[in-house]
Amino acid sequence: RDTSGVSYRLWPLLRMWEPAVLYGYGGAGKSYLAALACLLVQEGRTAGGLNASPEAVPTLYLDYESSPDELNERVRWLRKGLGLGEETEVLYRYSHHPIMDDLPEIQRIIADEKIGFLVVDSLGLACGGDPEHADAALRYFAALRSLRLTSLTIHHQPKDKERGPFGSVYIENMARNVWELKKEQEQESDTLFLGLYHRKVNRGRLLKPLGITLTFDQELEAVTIRPLDILSVPQLAAGTSLRVRIHGALTGGGRTAQEIAETLTAPQDQVRVLLNRYKEEFVNLDPLSKSPRWGLLTNN
């Protein structure tokens, strides 16, 4: 948990009153996750390790990329999976003007509908310029700030970039909370494994990665959302820190630094440094041994 005393609209993704950015490669499931966030926030619900504030608020989805039919289908499937009634909808706006140019109408909708959470999907068209230029990014976040509410901006990650959103450094600098989304899915499988990685925060500490499983039931036309142990999916575990992977390796019991390093295909000296550094998490089970076994402090 976040122990910084910060309030959340949706833990751990959305801090109250602050702009968050969610980025990832195309097809990673960003829009599906944004639709899920809307439903959880406006219903005050919990699913897949995402915990909404009990103070449920209406939400608004500004769509610059797809169509109302596409969002409505996502909402319908998610609604069934969450056990919500058919009256549960997400307020939608088909958007094509940059958010700065559309600001008066957006402000009117927010005031009339008492909107407490906004999704912008996605930044490329909403910023009204080249995302690589500082001016476009700064104007965009200035517009968001004028709305005075919690927001989630969807953004893309270029294929040739291993990590980080496309564009100006101000996209990360101006967002108060930045998450990367990765997806793993087998061919012809109805299950998506999603990994959320905390890449930047302005107050407090970076949080551990979060895993979510989305299972699509084609017959019922419903999506079931469950929490996922991110370390159980090797492709997603690779995106976590070595410290997190060491924690996962020790979950089943004590191991030596050499055994951990071999399991994780990691340098043994780095493993040993982390084991000794985080004494609040790892414990030496054989302090008199030259090759001690290590365990998790919470298991002792």
Side-chain angles (χ1 to χ4, degrees):
R1 286 285 178 163
D2 188 340
T3 58
S4 62
V6 177
S7 298
Y8 281 80
R9 182 64 74 190
L10 181 68
W11 189 91
L13 293 183
L14 307 170
R15 292 183 166 202
M16 202 75 75
W17 309 108
E18 295 184 358
V21 167
L22 175 69
Y23 74 88
Y25 294 130
K30 299 184 294 296
S31 296
Y32 237 109
L33 190 62
L36 173 61
C38 285
L39 288 173
L40 296 179
V41 165
Q42 67 183 34
E43 296 296 319
R45 296 286 293 268
T46 295
L50 300 173
N51 305 314
S53 166
E55 179 198 3
V57 294
T59 63
L60 173 62
Y61 200 106
L62 300 183
D63 185 5
Y64 286 85
E65 293 200 354
S66 58
S67 66
D69 288 344
E70 192 168 347
L71 179 70
N72 287 338
E73 180 178 288
R74 290 180 183 133
V75 169
R76 179 166 55 85
W77 282 57
L78 288 166
R79 188 176 59 205
K80 287 185 179 180
L82 292 168
L84 301 175
E86 293 187 2
E87 72 281 358
T88 306
E89 298 290 350
V90 173
L91 187 60
Y92 175 92
R93 180 169 175 78
Y94 185 93
S95 300
H96 55 94
H97 294 300
I99 192 170
M100 184 65 79
D101 297 342
D102 205 23
L103 208 50
E105 182 60 17
I106 295 171
Q107 290 171 330
R108 183 195 65 77
I109 295 172
I110 288 173
D112 290 350
E113 303 294 336
K114 297 180 172 56
I115 300 298
F117 171 51
L118 173 72
V119 168
V120 181
D121 187 4
S122 62
L123 184 144
L125 287 177
C127 72
D130 187 341
E132 292 189 283
H133 292 168
D135 286 350
L138 291 172
R139 285 196 302 270
Y140 174 78
F141 282 100
L144 279 186
R145 184 171 176 80
S146 74
L147 299 175
R148 299 175 182 270
L149 81 176
T150 305
S151 66
L152 176 65
T153 297
I154 305 300
H155 195 35
H156 297 289
Q157 180 178 359
K159 289 290 185 181
D160 60 352
K161 191 173 184 180
E162 183 177 343
R163 181 167 151 183
F166 173 76
S168 167
V169 295
Y170 281 102
I171 293 171
E172 285 196 79
N173 289 347
M174 298 306 297
R176 304 293 88 185
N177 209 12
V178 178
W179 289 83
E180 179 183 1
L181 179 65
K182 294 184 178 182
K183 178 190 77 171
E184 182 60 31
Q185 182 181 22
E186 297 291 337
Q187 290 185 350
E188 299 184 354
S189 172
D190 290 324
T191 298
L192 269 64
F193 300 114
L194 302 180
L196 283 157
Y197 307 87
H198 202 193
R199 298 308 190 196
K200 183 249 184 175
V201 68
N202 276 71
R203 288 183 292 162
R205 61 185 181 181
L206 292 173
L207 301 177
K208 289 183 178 180
L210 176 70
I212 301 175
T213 299
L214 301 184
T215 303
F216 294 77
D217 188 319
Q218 303 297 332
E219 184 176 343
L220 295 178
E221 296 188 339
V223 182
T224 302
I225 302 101
R226 293 188 177 91
L228 168 70
D229 177 4
I230 203 167
L231 298 177
S232 68
V233 182
Q235 296 86 344
L236 299 181
T240 65
S241 68
L242 180 56
R243 176 187 173 189
V244 170
R245 288 186 286 141
I246 291 173
H247 191 285
L250 291 175
T251 301
R255 292 187 178 189
T256 66
Q258 180 179 349
E259 290 171 338
I260 296 169
E262 290 173 353
T263 299
L264 302 179
T265 318
Q268 188 176 156
D269 58 341
Q270 292 184 20
V271 170
R272 189 174 287 108
V273 166
L274 292 173
L275 288 170
N276 284 284
R277 177 181 299 166
Y278 293 99
K279 298 183 184 300
E280 75 283 2
E281 186 171 354
F282 307 123
V283 60
N284 186 333
L285 301 175
D286 308 306
L288 299 180
S289 172
K290 292 183 179 180
S291 183
R293 292 178 307 114
W294 291 81
L296 296 177
L297 189 59
T298 52
N299 289 348
N300 291 272

